Amino acid sequence: MNLTDLCPCCSGKNYSGCCQLAHLEHSKVRSAETLMRSRYSAFALRNAEYLMITTHSSQQKYHSKEEYLTWATQNEWLKLEIGKAQDNIVEFKAWYHNQEKVLCLHHERSSFVQENGAWYYVDGIFM
């Protein structure tokens, strides 16, 4: 991805002025919504390392970098839409094409927690 390309998170900003900042330094993320956007971009860019480090330590045993990478690469990520973002809860819709090129929707209400100034994904409820 070129730094001047639009960010995959659909913010309308260039990647270099948006999610790249989070991908380079996770501790600089200032809100649950920003972390959600950067995690979506990490899926689109197949950055499993970032997905793992931004998953809360209490939940990492349920995930692996390999699983994140598989999910990221099996799908073509098309669009992110943030519904409601309030404090530590973010509801979003992510559209993607699966391996069979079928258009799919992942609709989730995600919970996040802030620890020592950094935000982490905890879990989500599928809508």
Side-chain angles (χ1 to χ4, degrees):
M1 163 166 268
N2 294 320
L3 298 180
T4 57
D5 288 347
L6 287 178
C7 192
C9 80
C10 301
S11 66
K13 300 175 186 176
N14 291 342
Y15 175 66
S16 63
C18 195
C19 289
Q20 184 194 31
L21 303 171
H23 293 165
L24 293 174
E25 196 167 350
H26 162 236
S27 64
K28 298 284 185 182
V29 173
R30 296 293 173 228
S31 70
E33 180 181 346
T34 302
L35 184 64
M36 177 60 247
R37 288 184 175 281
S38 68
R39 284 176 58 87
Y40 174 87
S41 290
F43 276 108
L45 299 172
R46 300 176 172 110
N47 185 346
E49 178 69 28
Y50 182 78
L51 293 164
M52 200 64 203
I53 66 168
T54 58
T55 299
H56 191 263
S57 59
S58 68
Q59 302 300 307
Q60 287 183 356
K61 62 187 170 204
Y62 304 115
H63 304 277
S64 71
K65 281 194 289 188
E66 293 77 20
E67 289 171 331
Y68 278 133
L69 185 59
T70 297
W71 179 243
T73 56
Q74 283 179 344
N75 302 301
E76 177 190 5
W77 300 94
L78 304 172
K79 180 182 173 184
L80 174 68
E81 180 182 290
I82 301 294
K84 190 173 184 180
Q86 219 171 16
D87 301 320
N88 68 323
I89 305 293
V90 179
E91 186 174 333
F92 69 92
K93 294 178 180 178
W95 283 268
Y96 62 95
H97 285 137
N98 67 14
Q99 289 178 302
E100 292 78 33
K101 304 296 181 205
V102 173
L103 181 62
C104 299
L105 171 63
H106 179 92
H107 186 183
E108 181 176 323
R109 184 177 297 134
S110 297
S111 298
F112 298 86
V113 66
Q114 188 177 31
E115 278 186 0
N116 302 318
W119 283 93
Y120 297 91
Y121 171 78
V122 178
D123 59 16
I125 299 169
F126 301 113
M127 309 299 286

